[in-house]
Amino acid sequence: MSTILVTGATGRVGRHVVQGLLEAGATVRALVRNPEAAELPAPVEVVQGDLYDPGAVEGAAVGVDAVFLLWPSFSAEGAEAAVKALTKHVSRVVYLSSLNVRDDQPLAASGVWGELEELLADSDWTFLRPSGFAVNTQAWAEAFRTSDVVRIPFPGAGRSLIHERDLAAVAVLALLDPQHIGQKYLLTGPEVLTQAEQIATLSTVTGKPMRIEEQSPAEARQTMLAQGADPTLADSSITYWSTLVTTPEPVTPTAPILLNRPALTYQDWSEEHADEFLSPES
C-alpha cells in the first residue's frame, strides 16, 4: 500500500483528500502546523511542521511514495527550498495549481502557480488546474446570516465553480495511479454561473431572499484587505473577476471523465452547505 504525504490536510480540499486516501486503503501522513488542533482521523500520521521549514518538510517526506502539495501563499518565496526538501526523498508530486496557468507563456508569468509548476518540472508531477472553488463562496455566509444584502464587485462575472469533493477525488486518483504522471488536468464544475446566479441559487436553497449591491473595484479591494487578504491576492482577484464578465471561465469534461460520473453542481454544493448561511434562529 502507498504512503502519501498530504500538505494542507486541514484545509477545505485537503481534508477530503485525506478521507479519500484512507477510504482507498492508503497510509496517510499529514504535515500540519498545530497537531493538537488538526482534528484529522485517527489513522493519519500527523507530523508537526511548516512548509516554510525545509528540515520539517524533508523529515515528513522520508519514506513516502507521493505528495499532495498545496502551497499556502500567493508568493513563491520559500517554495524552492520546500520543493527541494520534498523531492530529495520522493519524486511523485500532485500539485494543486490553477486554471490561470497558461502554457503559451513563461510559467513565471502565471503567478505563484506557474512558478511552483516550474520548480516541480524535474519531478514526476501531475498538475491539477482548477477553476474557482465553490467553497470560497462561504465568504457570503455572514451576509446571509446577518442581513439581506450581499455586496460584491462584478456580479456578472461568470465562473465554472468546482466542488471541493470533486477536486479532492481527482487528487486521490492522481496520487494512487502512476498513469496520471505528466498530466495537466483542467478541472471545472459542470456549468457557468455568474456571481449573481450563485447568490440566487443560495437564496433559493436557504429560503433567504438577498439583494446584491455592486461594489466598485476600489471598495472590493479595501474590503478584502480589511478581512486580512494579502494585497497581491486582492489585486489579482479583482483583476481576474473583471475579465470574467466578458470572458467567463470555461467548462471542461475532465473531472467527469476521470471520476466516471457527473461533476457536482453548485446546487449540490449549496444544499450541502446551506446551514452555514442560516442564522441559528432560522
Side-chain angles (χ1 to χ4, degrees):
M1 275 301 172
S2 298
T3 298
I4 311 296
L5 173 63
V6 179
T7 67
T10 61
R12 295 165 168 175
V13 176
R15 287 190 181 278
H16 292 289
V17 174
V18 168
Q19 188 60 42
L21 289 169
L22 291 174
E23 291 172 0
T27 299
V28 180
R29 182 180 299 170
L31 179 67
V32 301
R33 292 173 179 169
N34 186 353
E36 290 75 21
E39 297 183 345
L40 292 169
V44 177
E45 178 189 355
V46 177
V47 177
Q48 184 173 18
D50 191 296
L51 272 174
Y52 293 103
D53 179 352
V57 172
E58 183 175 343
V62 172
V64 305
D65 301 294
V67 178
F68 175 72
L69 176 61
L70 189 157
W71 186 248
S73 170
F74 288 90
S75 165
E77 184 177 355
E80 183 175 6
V83 167
K84 284 183 178 179
L86 279 176
T87 56
K88 182 175 180 180
H89 295 282
V90 56
S91 64
R92 182 81 187 94
V93 181
V94 174
Y95 168 56
L96 183 56
S97 185
S98 169
L99 189 69
N100 292 329
V101 177
R102 291 172 47 184
D103 293 318
D104 60 350
Q105 63 184 16
L107 284 173
S110 294
V112 62
W113 305 281
E115 292 180 67
L116 264 292
E117 288 193 12
E118 192 166 43
L119 290 172
L120 291 164
D122 293 331
S123 68
D124 293 328
W125 51 264
T126 302
F127 297 145
L128 309 184
R129 294 178 174 176
S131 58
F133 293 3
V135 72
N136 285 344
T137 62
Q138 283 176 332
W140 301 329
E142 184 176 359
F144 267 76
R145 291 192 299 265
T146 61
S147 74
D148 64 353
V149 61
V150 180
R151 303 189 73 245
I152 56 171
F154 311 110
R159 311 209 68 177
S160 50
L161 299 179
I162 186 168
H163 196 302
E164 62 271 17
R165 289 200 287 114
D166 279 352
L167 183 51
V170 172
V172 169
L173 290 178
L175 287 162
L176 297 178
D177 192 334
Q179 72 171 332
H180 301 288
I181 292 173
Q183 298 298 313
K184 302 172 183 177
Y185 290 135
L186 277 61
L187 301 166
T188 75
E191 60 189 342
V192 172
L193 295 176
T194 66
Q195 293 197 101
E197 289 169 332
Q198 295 161 32
I199 292 168
T201 299
L202 286 165
S203 290
T204 299
V205 168
T206 60
K208 177 75 181 291
M210 297 293 287
R211 296 181 295 109
I212 294 173
E213 290 183 1
E214 183 170 1
Q215 290 179 309
S216 70
E219 288 173 326
R221 182 182 189 276
Q222 191 56 45
T223 297
M224 292 185 70
L225 294 177
Q227 293 172 343
D230 180 277
T232 302
L233 169 61
D235 291 337
S236 62
S237 296
I238 290 166
T239 298
Y240 180 58
W241 294 333
S242 70
T243 68
L244 298 180
V245 175
T246 55
T247 309
E249 290 177 336
V251 171
T252 69
T254 312
I257 290 172
L258 291 173
L259 300 176
N260 196 31
R261 61 165 173 77
L264 296 168
T265 66
Y266 188 69
Q267 176 85 18
D268 294 326
W269 185 91
S270 299
E271 291 173 355
E272 290 179 24
H273 293 266
D275 287 350
E276 299 164 21
F277 291 80
L278 295 170
S279 64
E281 295 78 21
S282 297

